Every structure is written in C-alpha cells, then in structure tokens.
Amino acid sequence: MSGMIRGVLPVLHTPLLADETIDRESLEREIDWCYELGADGICGAMVSEVLRLTYEERLELTRLMSEVSDGRGAVIASVGAESTRQALVFARHAEEVGCDAVMAIPPVTTALPEAALWDYFSALAEQCSLPLIVQDASSYVGNAISIDFYRRLLEQYGAEKIRFKPEASPIGPNLSALRDATDGLALIYDGSGGILLVDAYRRGISGTMPGVDLLDGIIALWKALRTGDEAAIYRIYFPICAIVALQLQAGLDGFLAIEKYLLVKRGIISSEQRCTPHAWSLDEETKAEVDRLFDLLMQAL
C-alpha cells in the first residue's frame, strides 16, 4: 500500500461523546463516508485532536482507523510525541494494527536543535518499518523544519521511506524549494484545509490531506486539477477557500469548531464535542457565514 499513498487522504476528526471519549459509531460512519466519496485513504493528525487525546485513546483511534478502513485505502497514523520513546510506541502500535504509514510532527514543547531533531526522526525511520511522513505543523504548533534538513533525510533514507508534509509559511514557495532541492524526488503532501490546494498541486504535490468536512468538494477539485478543467477548478475552489479562511482566523480551534459543526450539519458525526479546554467556539454570525458559503459550495458541486 505504501506506493498508493497518493491523492486525497483526509485527516479524520475524532468524534466524541459528551464525556469526551471516542464515539465509535460516528467514527465508523465518517470513515465509510470518506471511502464512499472516493478518498484514497485516511489519516490521523492535528485536527484529529491527537495532542489532546489520552494515551489509550490515541492507540484506540489508530486501531479503529485500520480496522474500519479494512483495506479500502491507505491508513496513516499520527505518531508525533514529546519524546522519541513515546513516538516509537505509537509507531510500533501502528505497525502492529496494520497501518500503511506513520506521520510525525516534532516535539512541540521545546525548540530542538537540528542534531536532536535528526535523532528523533532517524529513530522513527530506522525502528519502524512503515514509510514515515515528516510533518512540519508549525502553522499550528511547534517550529519550522529547514529544507536542508528534509533533503538530508531523503538522501539518508530514500523517497519510499521518507515523505514530507511541509506546513511552514510561505507554504507554496517552500513546496517548490523542497521539490527543487531534491531534484523532484521528494513525495510531498499539502494540507491547510484545501485553501492552498490549487497552488500546491501546480507545484507537484503527490497528495493532499484536508479535513473531512468539505471532502466531496476537495475530491471534485482534485479531479478537476487532474483533468485541467480550469472553469471547474475555480468554481469549486473559491467557496472552499472562503470557508477555510474563516477557520484560519482562530488557528487549530477554528478548524476544529467549524469542521465539526459542518460534519454534524451533514449528518456524518453526532456531536460537535471537542476535547476541552479550547480557545474558541463558533459564534452565531460566523456560523451564518459558514452556512452561506457551504450552500455556495453545494451549488458549485
């Protein structure tokens, strides 16, 4: 499956019950919906609230992702942690339950020197047999990873082992810099909810990792990009951009609040419950604007 880690790979939102434990029924429905729409796989990452789940819940989420996916697409587990030892526990668990790749952000509680960062990622590369996607999540948390550091990892471990999700600003120019620094060998994925997908696609990405809330729009946009249908590209893209712009104004909690609102609105998950505490909740005026923009996207589709 590692060669198939391409295309549209949505990052799951972890549906929660009122007591903030995982709502398994909603998670199953969410995963099924992803595959019904034509997703190429599923991921766990920042908007899965992995940094806010308990240790046991992170393991449970990874297991359920693999179990419910049941071979329908690539399964990518989030394994980044505050210590190498923690990250390796999550990575080995992903291996054991049948995931196809792991994705790791660096530790976020301290700014590591590159030597320590190298030890962290090289341990994951060498002690877990799965492909490793190195995620710079500095648009949400942590610090940016340099292009030279990415290049060194690729030279050491090869393109099938090491892939990249660079999210440091400016994202587009950094994607091109990584592509050029590796002579086009790097397999690169974008995220950001789809707001930069058109620009990123034209720079040669292998796949995109949006949230699930607008997944039908993202898949339609990906198809339009692949066929070069310029009119369809921008008809679909503009309302996606406008919704994600509203999400961006409140950082990770902006994404979580609006994305879970839309997933409940669409009947995919049962509750907007998020892990507490959080910094921002959806107010009525933002909600009304999200509804207007969502209607525009549905018309475009």
Side-chain angles (χ1 to χ4, degrees):
M1 188 71 76
S2 65
M4 299 171 64
I5 305 175
R6 295 174 180 270
V8 181
L9 304 159
V11 178
L12 298 176
H13 303 280
T14 306
L16 301 174
L17 300 170
D19 62 0
E20 298 185 25
T21 57
I22 295 174
D23 178 351
R24 298 184 189 188
E25 186 177 320
S26 287
L27 182 64
E28 244 180 79
R29 193 161 55 242
E30 182 181 3
I31 293 171
D32 287 343
W33 191 66
C34 290
Y35 287 119
E36 286 164 13
L37 291 176
D40 297 291
I42 55 173
C43 307
M46 293 301 98
V47 295
S48 307
E49 298 180 83
V50 291
L51 298 184
R52 298 173 179 177
L53 298 176
T54 66
Y55 167 77
E56 291 80 10
E57 286 167 344
R58 279 191 74 168
L59 298 180
E60 181 185 12
L61 176 63
T62 297
R63 179 183 60 78
L64 289 170
M65 284 169 54
S66 180
E67 184 180 294
V68 178
S69 190
D70 193 28
R72 289 179 285 178
V75 178
I76 302 160
S78 176
V79 303
E82 290 310 295
S83 73
T84 303
R85 201 158 60 94
Q86 286 176 314
L88 285 170
V89 168
F90 293 133
R92 288 168 182 149
H93 174 71
E95 208 170 14
E96 289 166 7
V97 299
C99 293
D100 301 290
V102 295
M103 182 160 62
I105 62 169
V108 299
T109 51
T110 186
L112 294 176
E114 284 208 347
L117 203 59
W118 181 269
D119 290 344
Y120 172 81
F121 281 117
S122 62
L124 281 168
E126 291 169 11
Q127 297 184 49
C128 175
S129 66
L130 302 177
L132 168 63
I133 300 170
V134 176
Q135 182 186 8
D136 173 345
S138 58
S139 57
Y140 303 113
V141 291
N143 299 283
I145 300 172
S146 72
I147 299 298
D148 183 61
F149 185 86
Y150 288 141
R151 182 186 54 76
R152 287 171 53 213
L153 279 172
L154 188 67
E155 288 175 353
Q156 179 73 23
Y157 297 107
E160 283 305 305
K161 181 66 181 183
I162 298 287
R163 293 106 185 277
F164 305 97
K165 190 184 180 194
E167 295 179 284
S169 297
I171 292 175
N174 282 337
L175 293 177
S176 291
L178 176 55
R179 176 200 65 206
D180 296 345
T182 60
D183 297 323
L185 292 175
L187 297 172
I188 306 170
Y189 308 90
D190 96 308
S192 303
I195 196 169
L196 298 172
L197 177 53
V198 173
D199 181 50
Y201 184 88
R202 300 190 196 284
R203 294 174 190 266
I205 57 171
S206 300
T208 185
M209 297 178 177
V212 176
D213 56 314
L214 305 177
L215 184 58
D216 43 359
I218 297 291
I219 288 175
L221 177 55
W222 185 263
K223 289 178 179 176
L225 285 163
R226 293 196 64 176
T227 59
D229 187 342
E230 294 294 313
I233 287 168
Y234 290 103
R235 184 178 68 248
I236 299 163
Y237 181 51
F238 289 155
I240 290 173
C241 284
I243 292 170
V244 179
L246 292 175
Q247 296 171 347
L248 282 168
Q249 67 183 334
L252 180 57
D253 280 318
F255 277 98
L256 289 169
I258 293 175
E259 288 172 339
K260 283 198 166 181
Y261 166 71
L262 285 172
L263 285 170
V264 171
K265 177 185 176 80
R266 307 193 73 169
I268 308 303
I269 65 175
S270 300
S271 169
E272 297 173 44
Q273 181 68 53
R274 292 174 283 155
C275 295
T276 53
H278 40 72
W280 183 78
S281 293
L282 187 58
D283 63 280
E284 290 303 317
E285 289 166 297
T286 304
K287 187 183 296 183
E289 184 63 12
V290 168
D291 287 341
R292 286 188 285 268
L293 293 168
F294 179 74
D295 287 345
L296 289 175
L297 176 59
M298 292 301 101
Q299 291 167 30
L301 295 177

